[in-house]
Amino acid sequence: MAKRTAEGKIITVNRKARHDYFVLEAFEAGIELAGTEVKSIRQGGVNLKDSWCSVDHGELFLKGAHISPYEKGNIFNKDPFRVRKLLMHKSEILRLYGKVKQDGLTLIPLSMYFKGSNVKVELGLCKGKQLHDKRGDLAARDAKREIERAMKERQRF
């Protein structure tokens, strides 16, 4: 079952993105979908694990995202890995393109959610993590878990 937030109903979250990248900024974009793709998304058939975004000829595209074919869609189903156009204002796209080209950053989809009846994608302007950064994050998460466990034990007594 999808979670609800103030934004809307979360469809999927790209957990690997936050593990592999530092997220510097987040943006919201619409996505151009076919009808059977929306039905498949409503059933939860989306995977953003190895996906990324690129700017080609002034337009923003989502690549590598997998949207499962709708089981009742027969001839109307599209290719699960097809390139999908993302919808943002031209000025935002050009700003993102400049950051990606100049600073060597990457555009990664962080999550997909419903906002009203529209499907939205949260994009992150990201910088890659080195192995020691990932280890540091794991150590911090383990320490936080130990602290919470100790606090819970203390509250029992």
Side-chain angles (χ1 to χ4, degrees):
M1 194 57 146
K3 295 181 184 176
R4 289 203 177 271
T5 64
E7 295 272 306
K9 190 169 139 181
I10 294 177
I11 301 163
T12 186
V13 175
N14 187 355
R15 291 191 189 131
K16 190 174 181 189
R18 296 206 187 266
H19 180 265
D20 291 340
Y21 299 95
F22 291 114
V23 179
L24 305 177
E25 282 185 79
F27 301 92
E28 180 181 77
I31 184 168
E32 195 174 273
L33 296 168
T36 55
E37 289 177 322
V38 176
K39 291 179 180 184
S40 179
I41 287 171
R42 287 193 184 279
Q43 292 179 342
V46 184
N47 187 354
L48 296 175
K49 188 175 179 183
D50 293 323
S51 57
W52 74 98
C53 299
S54 68
V55 179
D56 300 328
H57 305 294
E59 295 181 330
L60 191 59
F61 293 98
L62 176 64
K63 299 178 179 181
H66 182 272
I67 297 178
S68 301
Y70 183 57
E71 60 226 20
K72 298 175 186 171
N74 57 40
I75 63 168
F76 300 108
N77 280 332
K78 305 286 185 190
D79 177 33
F81 286 102
R82 77 182 182 92
V83 176
R84 293 168 182 89
K85 185 176 180 181
L86 295 177
L87 310 171
M88 288 180 84
H89 291 286
K90 186 66 118 185
S91 60
E92 290 177 313
I93 293 173
L94 293 175
R95 189 170 86 84
L96 288 175
Y97 180 70
K99 293 227 181 200
V100 167
K101 283 296 175 193
Q102 185 178 18
D103 300 337
L105 302 175
T106 309
L107 282 171
I108 303 291
L110 302 175
S111 66
M112 190 178 282
Y113 55 92
F114 283 108
K115 190 170 183 180
S117 62
N118 299 324
V119 178
K120 300 288 184 176
V121 178
E122 181 184 17
L123 298 177
L125 193 59
C126 302
K127 180 181 176 189
K129 283 186 182 178
Q130 300 293 323
L131 184 60
H132 60 86
D133 294 327
K134 293 178 188 179
R135 286 186 190 140
D137 285 350
L138 286 173
R141 189 168 58 223
D142 288 343
K144 182 179 176 187
R145 191 178 302 132
E146 286 296 322
I147 291 169
E148 287 175 359
R149 193 174 294 141
M151 293 295 284
K152 191 172 183 181
E153 281 292 318
R154 250 182 104 83
Q155 287 177 355
R156 269 208 238 153
F157 296 111

Short mmCIF file of all heavy atoms in Angstrom, two decimals, residues 102-140:
data_model
loop_
_atom_site.label_atom_id
_atom_site.label_comp_id
_atom_site.label_asym_id
_atom_site.label_seq_id
_atom_site.Cartn_x
_atom_site.Cartn_y
_atom_site.Cartn_z
N GLN A 102 28.44 22.17 -15.94
CA GLN A 102 29.53 22.94 -15.34
C GLN A 102 30.10 22.27 -14.10
O GLN A 102 31.31 22.16 -13.94
CB GLN A 102 29.03 24.34 -15.00
CG GLN A 102 30.12 25.25 -14.49
CD GLN A 102 29.60 26.65 -14.20
OE1 GLN A 102 28.40 26.85 -14.06
NE2 GLN A 102 30.49 27.60 -14.11
N ASP A 103 29.24 21.82 -13.21
CA ASP A 103 29.69 21.31 -11.91
C ASP A 103 29.87 19.79 -11.89
O ASP A 103 30.29 19.24 -10.88
CB ASP A 103 28.70 21.72 -10.81
CG ASP A 103 28.56 23.23 -10.70
OD1 ASP A 103 29.49 23.93 -11.12
OD2 ASP A 103 27.52 23.69 -10.19
N GLY A 104 29.50 19.11 -12.97
CA GLY A 104 29.65 17.66 -13.02
C GLY A 104 28.68 16.93 -12.10
O GLY A 104 29.00 15.87 -11.58
N LEU A 105 27.50 17.49 -11.90
CA LEU A 105 26.50 16.85 -11.05
C LEU A 105 25.62 15.94 -11.90
O LEU A 105 25.71 15.92 -13.12
CB LEU A 105 25.65 17.93 -10.36
CG LEU A 105 26.44 18.91 -9.49
CD1 LEU A 105 25.52 19.99 -8.96
CD2 LEU A 105 27.13 18.19 -8.35
N THR A 106 24.75 15.18 -11.25
CA THR A 106 23.88 14.22 -11.91
C THR A 106 22.44 14.46 -11.49
O THR A 106 22.18 14.81 -10.35
CB THR A 106 24.28 12.79 -11.50
OG1 THR A 106 25.69 12.64 -11.69
CG2 THR A 106 23.57 11.75 -12.32
N LEU A 107 21.51 14.24 -12.41
CA LEU A 107 20.08 14.31 -12.09
C LEU A 107 19.56 12.89 -11.88
O LEU A 107 19.62 12.06 -12.77
CB LEU A 107 19.31 14.96 -13.24
CG LEU A 107 19.40 16.47 -13.33
CD1 LEU A 107 18.78 16.95 -14.63
CD2 LEU A 107 18.70 17.11 -12.16
N ILE A 108 19.07 12.64 -10.68
CA ILE A 108 18.59 11.31 -10.31
C ILE A 108 17.14 11.43 -9.80
O ILE A 108 16.85 12.30 -8.98
CB ILE A 108 19.46 10.71 -9.17
CG1 ILE A 108 20.92 10.66 -9.57
CG2 ILE A 108 18.97 9.33 -8.77
CD1 ILE A 108 21.26 9.69 -10.64
N PRO A 109 16.23 10.56 -10.27
CA PRO A 109 14.87 10.56 -9.70
C PRO A 109 14.89 9.98 -8.29
O PRO A 109 15.42 8.89 -8.07
CB PRO A 109 14.07 9.69 -10.67
CG PRO A 109 15.06 8.88 -11.40
CD PRO A 109 16.36 9.62 -11.37
N LEU A 110 14.36 10.72 -7.34
CA LEU A 110 14.36 10.29 -5.94
C LEU A 110 13.08 9.55 -5.56
O LEU A 110 13.11 8.60 -4.79
CB LEU A 110 14.55 11.50 -5.02
CG LEU A 110 15.81 12.32 -5.24
CD1 LEU A 110 15.80 13.55 -4.36
CD2 LEU A 110 17.05 11.48 -5.00
N SER A 111 11.95 10.02 -6.10
CA SER A 111 10.68 9.37 -5.79
C SER A 111 9.66 9.70 -6.87
O SER A 111 9.85 10.61 -7.67
CB SER A 111 10.16 9.79 -4.42
OG SER A 111 9.83 11.17 -4.42
N MET A 112 8.59 8.93 -6.85
CA MET A 112 7.46 9.17 -7.76
C MET A 112 6.20 9.15 -6.89
O MET A 112 6.07 8.29 -6.01
CB MET A 112 7.40 8.08 -8.82
CG MET A 112 6.43 8.36 -9.94
SD MET A 112 6.43 7.07 -11.21
CE MET A 112 7.91 7.48 -12.12
N TYR A 113 5.30 10.10 -7.13
CA TYR A 113 4.11 10.20 -6.29
C TYR A 113 2.97 10.82 -7.08
O TYR A 113 3.16 11.41 -8.14
CB TYR A 113 4.40 11.01 -5.02
CG TYR A 113 4.96 12.39 -5.28
CD1 TYR A 113 4.13 13.50 -5.41
CD2 TYR A 113 6.33 12.59 -5.40
CE1 TYR A 113 4.63 14.75 -5.65
CE2 TYR A 113 6.85 13.84 -5.64
CZ TYR A 113 6.00 14.92 -5.76
OH TYR A 113 6.52 16.16 -6.01
N PHE A 114 1.75 10.65 -6.55
CA PHE A 114 0.57 11.28 -7.12
C PHE A 114 0.36 12.62 -6.44
O PHE A 114 0.46 12.73 -5.22
CB PHE A 114 -0.68 10.42 -6.91
CG PHE A 114 -0.78 9.26 -7.83
CD1 PHE A 114 -0.56 7.97 -7.36
CD2 PHE A 114 -1.09 9.43 -9.16
CE1 PHE A 114 -0.65 6.89 -8.20
CE2 PHE A 114 -1.18 8.35 -10.01
CZ PHE A 114 -0.96 7.08 -9.53
N LYS A 115 0.08 13.63 -7.21
CA LYS A 115 -0.31 14.93 -6.68
C LYS A 115 -1.65 15.24 -7.35
O LYS A 115 -1.69 15.61 -8.51
CB LYS A 115 0.73 15.99 -7.01
CG LYS A 115 0.54 17.30 -6.30
CD LYS A 115 1.74 18.19 -6.52
CE LYS A 115 1.59 19.47 -5.74
NZ LYS A 115 2.75 20.34 -5.96
N GLY A 116 -2.72 15.03 -6.61
CA GLY A 116 -4.04 15.06 -7.23
C GLY A 116 -4.15 13.81 -8.09
O GLY A 116 -3.89 12.70 -7.65
N SER A 117 -4.47 13.99 -9.36
CA SER A 117 -4.54 12.85 -10.28
C SER A 117 -3.31 12.77 -11.16
O SER A 117 -3.21 11.90 -12.02
CB SER A 117 -5.80 12.97 -11.15
OG SER A 117 -5.73 14.15 -11.93
N ASN A 118 -2.35 13.68 -10.97
CA ASN A 118 -1.14 13.71 -11.79
C ASN A 118 -0.01 12.95 -11.13
O ASN A 118 0.15 12.95 -9.91
CB ASN A 118 -0.68 15.16 -12.02
CG ASN A 118 -1.72 15.98 -12.75
OD1 ASN A 118 -2.40 15.48 -13.62
ND2 ASN A 118 -1.84 17.24 -12.39
N VAL A 119 0.82 12.32 -11.96
CA VAL A 119 2.01 11.63 -11.47
C VAL A 119 3.17 12.61 -11.52
O VAL A 119 3.41 13.26 -12.54
CB VAL A 119 2.33 10.39 -12.32
CG1 VAL A 119 3.59 9.70 -11.82
CG2 VAL A 119 1.17 9.42 -12.32
N LYS A 120 3.88 12.76 -10.42
CA LYS A 120 5.01 13.67 -10.33
C LYS A 120 6.27 12.88 -9.97
O LYS A 120 6.19 11.84 -9.32
CB LYS A 120 4.79 14.74 -9.25
CG LYS A 120 3.57 15.61 -9.47
CD LYS A 120 3.79 16.57 -10.61
CE LYS A 120 2.60 17.51 -10.74
NZ LYS A 120 2.82 18.50 -11.76
N VAL A 121 7.41 13.40 -10.39
CA VAL A 121 8.70 12.79 -10.08
C VAL A 121 9.52 13.82 -9.31
O VAL A 121 9.60 14.97 -9.72
CB VAL A 121 9.46 12.39 -11.37
CG1 VAL A 121 10.81 11.81 -11.04
CG2 VAL A 121 8.64 11.41 -12.18
N GLU A 122 10.11 13.41 -8.20
CA GLU A 122 11.01 14.28 -7.46
C GLU A 122 12.42 14.00 -7.96
O GLU A 122 12.91 12.88 -7.86
CB GLU A 122 10.93 14.01 -5.96
CG GLU A 122 11.82 14.92 -5.16
CD GLU A 122 11.81 14.61 -3.67
OE1 GLU A 122 11.37 13.52 -3.28
OE2 GLU A 122 12.27 15.47 -2.91
N LEU A 123 13.06 15.01 -8.54
CA LEU A 123 14.41 14.89 -9.06
C LEU A 123 15.40 15.47 -8.07
O LEU A 123 15.12 16.49 -7.44
CB LEU A 123 14.55 15.65 -10.38
CG LEU A 123 13.70 15.22 -11.53
CD1 LEU A 123 13.94 16.14 -12.72
CD2 LEU A 123 14.01 13.81 -11.92
N GLY A 124 16.55 14.83 -7.97
CA GLY A 124 17.59 15.35 -7.11
C GLY A 124 18.81 15.73 -7.94
O GLY A 124 19.21 14.99 -8.83
N LEU A 125 19.36 16.90 -7.66
CA LEU A 125 20.63 17.31 -8.24
C LEU A 125 21.68 16.75 -7.31
O LEU A 125 21.80 17.18 -6.16
CB LEU A 125 20.69 18.83 -8.31
CG LEU A 125 21.78 19.45 -9.16
CD1 LEU A 125 21.67 18.98 -10.60
CD2 LEU A 125 21.71 20.95 -9.11
N CYS A 126 22.42 15.74 -7.78
CA CYS A 126 23.24 14.92 -6.89
C CYS A 126 24.71 14.93 -7.25
O CYS A 126 25.08 15.13 -8.41
CB CYS A 126 22.75 13.48 -6.94
SG CYS A 126 21.03 13.26 -6.50
N LYS A 127 25.51 14.68 -6.22
CA LYS A 127 26.95 14.52 -6.38
C LYS A 127 27.28 13.12 -5.86
O LYS A 127 26.81 12.72 -4.80
CB LYS A 127 27.69 15.57 -5.56
CG LYS A 127 29.18 15.50 -5.64
CD LYS A 127 29.82 16.57 -4.79
CE LYS A 127 31.33 16.41 -4.82
NZ LYS A 127 31.98 17.27 -3.86
N GLY A 128 28.09 12.37 -6.59
CA GLY A 128 28.41 11.00 -6.23
C GLY A 128 29.18 10.89 -4.92
O GLY A 128 30.01 11.73 -4.61
N LYS A 129 28.90 9.83 -4.17
CA LYS A 129 29.60 9.56 -2.92
C LYS A 129 30.79 8.64 -3.18
O LYS A 129 30.73 7.75 -4.03
CB LYS A 129 28.68 8.85 -1.92
CG LYS A 129 27.68 9.73 -1.24
CD LYS A 129 26.94 8.94 -0.19
CE LYS A 129 25.89 9.77 0.49
NZ LYS A 129 25.13 9.00 1.49
N GLN A 130 31.85 8.85 -2.44
CA GLN A 130 32.99 7.95 -2.46
C GLN A 130 32.72 6.82 -1.46
O GLN A 130 31.81 6.91 -0.63
CB GLN A 130 34.26 8.70 -2.06
CG GLN A 130 34.62 9.86 -2.95
CD GLN A 130 35.01 9.41 -4.35
OE1 GLN A 130 35.65 8.38 -4.50
NE2 GLN A 130 34.61 10.16 -5.34
N LEU A 131 33.52 5.77 -1.50
CA LEU A 131 33.32 4.61 -0.63
C LEU A 131 33.41 5.01 0.85
O LEU A 131 32.61 4.56 1.67
CB LEU A 131 34.34 3.52 -0.95
CG LEU A 131 34.18 2.23 -0.18
CD1 LEU A 131 32.81 1.61 -0.46
CD2 LEU A 131 35.27 1.25 -0.55
N HIS A 132 34.35 5.90 1.19
CA HIS A 132 34.49 6.29 2.60
C HIS A 132 33.27 7.10 3.07
O HIS A 132 32.92 7.05 4.25
CB HIS A 132 35.79 7.07 2.84
CG HIS A 132 35.91 8.33 2.05
ND1 HIS A 132 35.41 9.52 2.48
CD2 HIS A 132 36.49 8.58 0.85
CE1 HIS A 132 35.66 10.46 1.60
NE2 HIS A 132 36.32 9.92 0.58
N ASP A 133 32.61 7.83 2.17
CA ASP A 133 31.39 8.55 2.54
C ASP A 133 30.27 7.58 2.88
O ASP A 133 29.51 7.79 3.82
CB ASP A 133 30.94 9.47 1.39
CG ASP A 133 31.93 10.59 1.12
OD1 ASP A 133 32.56 11.06 2.08
OD2 ASP A 133 32.06 10.99 -0.05
N LYS A 134 30.17 6.52 2.08
CA LYS A 134 29.13 5.51 2.33
C LYS A 134 29.37 4.81 3.66
O LYS A 134 28.43 4.55 4.41
CB LYS A 134 29.11 4.48 1.20
CG LYS A 134 28.67 5.05 -0.13
CD LYS A 134 28.74 3.99 -1.20
CE LYS A 134 28.49 4.59 -2.56
NZ LYS A 134 28.58 3.58 -3.63
N ARG A 135 30.64 4.51 3.95
CA ARG A 135 30.97 3.87 5.22
C ARG A 135 30.63 4.78 6.40
O ARG A 135 30.14 4.32 7.43
CB ARG A 135 32.45 3.52 5.27
CG ARG A 135 32.82 2.35 4.42
CD ARG A 135 34.26 1.98 4.64
NE ARG A 135 34.69 1.00 3.66
CZ ARG A 135 35.87 1.01 3.07
NH1 ARG A 135 36.75 1.95 3.36
NH2 ARG A 135 36.19 0.08 2.21
N GLY A 136 30.90 6.06 6.24
CA GLY A 136 30.57 7.03 7.29
C GLY A 136 29.07 7.09 7.55
O GLY A 136 28.64 7.16 8.70
N ASP A 137 28.29 7.05 6.48
CA ASP A 137 26.83 7.06 6.63
C ASP A 137 26.34 5.81 7.34
O ASP A 137 25.45 5.87 8.20
CB ASP A 137 26.15 7.16 5.26
CG ASP A 137 26.22 8.56 4.69
OD1 ASP A 137 26.62 9.49 5.41
OD2 ASP A 137 25.86 8.72 3.49
N LEU A 138 26.91 4.65 6.98
CA LEU A 138 26.52 3.41 7.65
C LEU A 138 26.86 3.45 9.13
O LEU A 138 26.07 3.03 9.98
CB LEU A 138 27.22 2.21 6.99
CG LEU A 138 26.69 1.78 5.64
CD1 LEU A 138 27.58 0.70 5.04
CD2 LEU A 138 25.26 1.30 5.75
N ALA A 139 28.05 3.96 9.47
CA ALA A 139 28.46 4.06 10.88
C ALA A 139 27.54 5.00 11.64
O ALA A 139 27.14 4.70 12.78
CB ALA A 139 29.90 4.54 10.96
N ALA A 140 27.18 6.14 11.05
CA ALA A 140 26.29 7.09 11.71
C ALA A 140 24.91 6.47 11.92
O ALA A 140 24.29 6.64 12.99
CB ALA A 140 26.17 8.36 10.88
#
